[in-house]
Amino acid sequence: MLQTTVFSPSPGALQLNHNHNRRIFSWGRGSVGVNSSTSNTWRQSLFVSAKPVLEDGVLSVNGKEVLTKVPENVVVTPLTNSSAFVGATSETATSRHVFKLGVVRDVRLLSLFRFKLWWMIPRVGNMGSDIPVETQMLLLQAKEGPDFDALKEATPYILFLPVPEGEFRSSLQGNSSNELEFCVESGDPAIVTSQSPKAVFVNCGNHPFDLLKESMKILEKHFGTFSLRESKQMPGMLDWFGWCTWDAFYQGVNPQGIREGLKSLSQGGTPAKFLIIDDGWQDTSNEFQIEGEPFVEGSQFGGRLNSIQENNKFRRTTNKEAESETPSGLKEFVSEIKGNFGLKYVYVWHALLGYWGGLLPNALGTKKYNPKLRYPVQSPGNLANMRDLAMDCMEKYGVGAIDPAKVYQFYDDLHAYLVSQDVDGVKVDVQNILETISTGLGGRVSLTRQFQQALEKSIATHFQDNSIICCMGQSTDSIYHSKKSAITRASDDYYPENPTTQTLHVAAVAFNSIFLGEVVVPDWDMFYSRHDAAEFHAAARAVGGCGVYVSDKPGQHDFEILKRLVLPDGSILRARYPGRPSQDCLFVDPVMDGKSLLKIWNLNKCNGVVGIFNCQGAGKWPCVENIVEVKVSAAELSGQVSPADIEYFEEVSGKHWTGDCAVYSFTKGCLCRLPKDKSFDVTLKLLQCDVFTVSPIKVYKQEIEFAAIGLLNMYNSGGAVEAIDCFGDESSCEIHIKGRGGAGSFGAYSSLKPKACSVNSIDEEEFEFRGEDNLLTVTIPPRISCWNIILCY
């Protein structure tokens, strides 16, 4: 049995008491005590020459210092051959501690931190003072040599993940002395401790994405409170184009507006197949908004829920309304729009506590849930970053908090009612509010666990498709209790009226997906298709592996952009994994360093995809008072793209791969052949982007070299390719490509011009072959959703 280890007072080296023998403890393959026999359970590539050692108060990697001056009250508990929990002890018991771990200097670091109560953004740096308060993931890479340009492939990554421990939640932060600290807090002054030995999980490895994946597997098994993304049921709406009412109407959403929006999308050839009826459909009241008096900004967050039913916009209340466009009720309206517009999924919005201001105490429709007015209190960590209007107003107006003993009954009643109205799922917002009202309710971790379990139980009981989108829940309290929920918003809201946030949004969702993507499918939010940054957002969604939905006002659409995302049947070409930055982007700032482009990689079934974006010069990150923004000195910025930017490419390269790739530029419409380890230059202006489909060139019968690109008219062209097979003998070769999506142009790299081509058994289909770059194109007829192309050589 592994024992908790502590620093000895003298000489300060970490000792491991294992079988009564005192040993230096180090992290690395086969390096915990004598338990090296289990090292073969790890991926060999993860731990080659990556052996962090903690000795004499110094954590080092390959001889390079990562943490120095580690205090003697730090406690380390080994977990696996490469990982451990780190914590600390205190002489006093309190509900909140801040402990020092050691000094961080001369590293490359990436932190994901909560800049608001609800949301995370990334921060990069080189020392402890660059680590913001409320950091929830910290990735370090030790410097190799005198500068970071000398980094070698074998230089390991160190991952710090603050985790819940008992009734306490932890986070990381740096201070002005470059010390890494961790904060533990219960959220309830009555829940105190003097010990937090397992507050931070630490692991190391040579590959950052393997390291995240393996670390989350370890924590999933250890805690048993959350599940990884790949084990969860995926809601069906993820693979269909959607429309959300929020930015189209805000709280003024109404049935006729929804009808008009669905109609205009359908008539334009990109029919919405799932709909989110956002805030504005519920039966609420607001004592802070008085008719006839001027609107007070933020007063909308004082509204409270009167009942679980729809409001009068969605339900006729008098016979006089029979001739109006108001439906008799929500069920009639949902059935109508499903029938008229072919919707597959209709979701509705509600807050975790029912509404922004919770439930109205003593209302006839809510009093059985025993709501009590509580006034939120934010932690010092949240207050140290950016204030939020919604949170400030909820602190002022209070929230009608549901009795935790009644919370399942509330969700059960609400979701049962929605199912009776033909609603298919819910978007559940304002989830992090619980940490601010946990005093007297068992603390933030316990309260979050209780609500999360009740919510997921109700979803499983009433909705057959795990039909929930979580939102405003980017705290580790929620993340490490996500047992079934499969989708979570990955960023702050999309703000169509704010030009400075467009590039920040794309960068934030990509970086946040590094962490969130191990537990959920990150939701990259809605966007306007008719907007200065529309293509920027559209291309990001195409490589993001996320759901695709817009929030256009009725009739305000750019169908040229939408048709690059949406197939005629309303489905989308969703990539397989959460889109994440390429390795060479992990420790650069694509928004404010004035020189770096952002690359986002993903995989399809048969190929890979890389999106590249110029996010510089349009805005700056929040909470950057001490960071100097580097002005973009040129109208254009250049970067390099390589097939090697795509992780796990071996999943699609398979047998018979030549080692070369066919790379297709969506923007330029050109094709090139490139070895996997080579790169090419890309130059982009502000808010410009490109999407490159990267397909492995394989050798088939008759030495024909071939790589399917996909539908050239789609941003994620390769997402259309489902399978590639080859048949033939010594004298002939047939390559069969199965895919989906009609009314487009299929493209491929071919070393030779085929003799004939057929599509869905229709012989002598016309095709074109461009000899200068070996681009083969075949027209896919309209009105077919799936196709089988046969190329005869």
Side-chain angles (χ1 to χ4, degrees):
M1 179 177 177
L2 293 173
Q3 303 294 319
T4 297
T5 60
V6 298
F7 282 102
S8 61
S10 177
L14 179 65
Q15 303 290 329
L16 173 63
N17 185 359
H18 183 81
N19 293 337
H20 306 289
N21 293 320
R22 297 178 66 82
R23 300 178 182 271
I24 299 299
F25 172 71
S26 66
W27 289 299
R29 185 163 53 89
S31 60
V32 178
V34 296
N35 288 335
S36 61
S37 61
T38 60
S39 64
N40 292 332
T41 64
W42 290 93
R43 287 182 55 161
Q44 187 75 11
S45 63
L46 189 60
F47 300 104
V48 173
S49 58
K51 296 183 178 180
V53 177
L54 188 55
E55 185 176 5
D56 295 330
V58 176
L59 174 65
S60 60
V61 179
N62 285 352
K64 306 302 177 184
E65 295 180 352
V66 178
L67 288 177
T68 62
K69 299 181 180 179
V70 180
E72 294 184 356
N73 67 326
V74 169
V75 179
V76 178
T77 305
L79 186 59
T80 70
N81 291 338
S82 66
S83 68
F85 286 114
V86 178
T89 62
S90 172
E91 295 181 354
T92 59
T94 182
S95 63
R96 185 176 188 270
H97 291 275
V98 176
F99 294 107
K100 296 178 181 180
L101 280 176
V103 174
V104 176
R105 285 194 183 95
D106 297 329
V107 298
R108 302 201 301 178
L109 66 85
L110 165 66
S111 66
L112 300 180
F113 74 102
R114 286 200 299 171
F115 78 104
K116 291 182 182 178
L117 177 75
W118 328 103
W119 308 119
M120 291 191 299
I121 55 174
R123 173 76 55 81
V124 297
N126 302 118
M127 59 189 67
S129 60
D130 295 325
I131 303 169
V133 174
E134 277 291 317
T135 287
Q136 299 191 130
M137 187 208 85
L138 178 63
L139 183 67
L140 304 182
Q141 191 175 35
K143 186 167 69 171
E144 183 77 23
D147 55 50
F148 292 110
D149 293 334
L151 280 170
K152 300 177 181 178
E153 287 186 11
T155 302
Y157 297 85
I158 311 295
L159 177 67
F160 292 81
L161 292 175
V163 294
E165 182 184 7
E167 302 309 315
F168 286 76
R169 177 258 187 185
S170 61
S171 61
L172 297 170
Q173 60 193 48
N175 64 28
S176 59
S177 299
N178 289 320
E179 293 170 308
L180 175 63
E181 301 174 332
F182 72 92
C183 172
V184 293
E185 52 194 336
S186 69
D188 186 338
I191 298 177
V192 300
T193 189
S194 61
Q195 299 187 27
S196 189
K198 298 181 179 180
V200 182
F201 172 82
V202 185
N203 201 1
C204 67
N206 287 342
H207 186 280
F209 302 110
D210 278 353
L211 178 58
L212 259 295
K213 181 179 292 293
E214 295 299 331
S215 295
M216 295 305 284
K217 284 182 179 179
I218 293 169
L219 293 177
E220 177 196 33
K221 181 178 180 180
H222 179 82
F223 288 121
T225 57
F226 72 99
S227 299
L228 300 179
R229 168 182 46 82
E230 55 261 34
S231 68
K232 295 178 177 179
Q233 180 185 2
M234 291 296 121
M237 45 69 60
L238 278 171
D239 293 312
W240 297 91
F241 175 56
W243 181 51
C244 177
T245 63
W246 179 243
D247 287 310
F249 309 106
Y250 300 108
Q251 292 172 321
V253 61
N254 61 85
Q256 185 55 24
I258 293 175
R259 295 184 186 107
E260 292 171 356
L262 293 171
K263 181 179 179 181
S264 61
L265 285 169
S266 183
Q267 289 179 337
T270 57
K273 294 298 178 179
F274 88 88
L275 168 71
I276 301 175
I277 302 177
D278 213 293
D279 186 6
W281 70 272
Q282 292 169 288
D283 177 20
T284 64
S285 59
N286 194 328
E287 64 181 295
F288 308 104
Q289 292 181 342
I290 302 173
E291 188 173 354
E293 294 190 4
F295 173 77
V296 177
E297 182 64 28
S299 62
Q300 65 269 31
F301 301 113
R304 311 195 200 284
L305 199 67
N306 297 323
S307 73
I308 61 174
Q309 297 184 337
E310 66 273 25
N311 59 36
N312 293 344
K313 291 185 291 183
F314 291 84
R315 181 182 66 239
R316 286 200 296 265
T317 58
T318 66
N319 292 332
K320 293 181 180 180
E321 295 181 89
E323 301 298 324
S324 73
E325 295 169 339
T326 304
S328 62
L330 186 60
K331 181 173 184 177
E332 178 193 282
F333 177 65
V334 172
S335 299
E336 172 201 329
I337 57 178
K338 282 184 176 180
N340 290 346
F341 302 107
L343 284 168
K344 293 179 175 291
Y345 307 96
V346 174
Y347 282 33
V348 299
W349 178 98
H350 71 78
L352 190 71
L353 297 180
Y355 201 64
W356 291 98
L359 308 187
L360 184 66
N362 300 316
L364 184 63
T366 61
K367 62 182 181 181
K368 70 176 180 177
Y369 310 116
N370 194 26
K372 180 181 179 181
L373 195 61
R374 290 179 174 269
Y375 291 87
V377 177
Q378 295 190 68
S379 72
N382 287 326
L383 294 174
N385 286 325
M386 188 173 179
R387 301 295 301 212
D388 176 74
L389 176 64
M391 190 67 250
D392 289 346
C393 293
M394 285 186 277
E395 287 180 336
K396 176 182 177 182
Y397 300 132
V399 296
I402 304 166
D403 184 345
K406 302 286 186 177
V407 65
Y408 177 72
Q409 183 183 0
F410 171 71
Y411 293 141
D412 186 56
D413 290 346
L414 173 59
H415 297 153
Y417 176 73
L418 292 175
V419 168
S420 76
Q421 304 300 297
D422 286 345
V423 170
D424 302 289
V426 289
K427 173 184 173 182
V428 182
D429 216 339
V430 205
Q431 295 202 14
N432 284 0
I433 189 65
L434 294 176
E435 69 184 70
T436 70
I437 58 170
S438 59
T439 296
L441 296 176
R444 56 188 292 172
V445 174
S446 176
L447 190 63
T448 299
R449 182 189 309 119
Q450 190 170 355
F451 272 70
Q452 189 75 15
Q453 289 175 349
L455 177 63
E456 292 189 337
K457 180 181 177 181
S458 179
I459 295 294
T461 298
H462 298 290
F463 300 113
Q464 303 307 308
D465 195 34
N466 196 22
S467 301
I468 178 173
I469 301 171
C470 297
C471 194
M472 299 177 78
Q474 287 188 7
S475 72
T476 46
D477 309 63
S478 297
I479 294 166
Y480 288 119
H481 289 98
S482 176
K483 194 73 172 176
K484 296 180 180 179
S485 302
I487 306 173
T488 294
R489 264 277 295 283
S491 72
D492 197 352
D493 287 6
Y494 166 71
Y495 297 108
E497 304 302 325
N498 188 344
T500 68
T501 62
Q502 307 307 310
T503 57
L504 275 64
H505 185 106
V506 170
V509 290
F511 277 91
N512 287 345
S513 293
I514 297 171
F515 178 39
L516 296 176
E518 298 301 329
V519 181
V520 294
V521 174
D523 171 28
W524 288 21
D525 204 11
M526 64 199 88
F527 66 100
Y528 276 170
S529 71
R530 184 181 292 183
H531 190 276
D532 290 342
E535 184 158 58
F536 203 77
H537 283 283
R541 304 312 188 277
V543 300
C546 52
V548 175
Y549 57 107
V550 295
S551 194
D552 295 346
K553 297 180 186 297
Q556 302 296 309
H557 317 291
D558 187 329
F559 288 109
E560 184 177 359
I561 287 177
L562 289 178
K563 288 180 180 179
R564 298 169 181 171
L565 283 170
V566 186
L567 298 174
D569 64 356
S571 64
I572 62 170
L573 302 178
R574 188 168 69 91
R576 289 169 54 193
Y577 297 128
R580 287 159 284 180
S582 59
Q583 281 201 43
D584 58 352
C585 290
L586 289 178
F587 300 108
V588 302
D589 185 348
V591 171
M592 290 178 58
D593 72 7
K595 60 183 180 181
S596 300
L597 299 177
L598 172 65
K599 291 180 290 185
I600 303 172
W601 65 271
N602 216 318
L603 285 174
N604 297 306
K605 288 184 178 180
C606 300
N607 48 59
V609 61
V610 178
I612 184 166
F613 304 83
N614 185 349
C615 302
Q616 300 283 350
K620 64 179 184 178
W621 295 113
C623 308
V624 290
E625 292 77 12
N626 298 323
I627 296 179
V628 178
E629 180 181 8
V630 179
K631 298 297 182 182
V632 180
S633 58
E636 298 178 329
L637 291 177
S638 295
Q640 291 188 322
V641 173
S642 170
D645 291 328
I646 302 171
E647 304 292 337
Y648 311 114
F649 197 71
E650 66 275 10
E651 294 182 14
V652 299
S653 60
K655 297 180 180 179
H656 312 299
W657 183 30
T658 64
D660 288 355
C661 297
V663 182
Y664 179 78
S665 164
F666 176 85
T667 300
K668 294 184 178 180
C670 63
L671 180 69
C672 70
R673 178 169 180 157
L674 196 70
K676 186 182 186 300
D677 58 351
K678 299 299 182 181
S679 62
F680 56 92
D681 292 332
V682 177
T683 300
L684 298 172
K685 296 179 181 179
L686 173 64
L687 279 176
Q688 281 189 340
C689 58
D690 201 354
V691 180
F692 296 94
T693 297
V694 181
S695 185
I697 298 175
K698 300 182 183 181
V699 180
Y700 294 94
K701 303 286 185 180
Q702 303 301 310
E703 298 302 310
I704 293 171
E705 296 184 352
F706 182 87
I709 299 299
L711 290 180
L712 304 184
N713 51 298
M714 307 296 287
Y715 289 119
N716 184 21
S717 304
V721 181
E722 299 283 333
I724 306 170
D725 292 302
C726 180
F727 304 92
D729 52 32
E730 295 180 356
S731 61
S732 67
C733 174
E734 285 187 358
I735 296 178
H736 294 224
I737 309 101
K738 293 182 179 180
R740 62 189 183 93
S745 178
F746 167 81
Y749 172 92
S750 179
S751 60
L752 293 176
K753 181 179 179 179
K755 295 178 180 178
C757 170
S758 68
V759 178
N760 288 1
S761 301
I762 300 176
D763 293 333
E764 299 183 1
E765 192 71 40
E766 291 187 2
F767 65 90
E768 295 183 4
F769 183 75
R770 200 164 69 189
E772 60 267 27
D773 59 1
N774 295 86
L775 177 63
L776 169 71
T777 55
V778 180
T779 299
I780 306 296
R783 294 181 296 279
I784 64 171
S785 58
C786 298
W787 36 264
N788 184 18
I789 297 174
I790 300 177
L791 301 172
C792 300
Y793 291 88

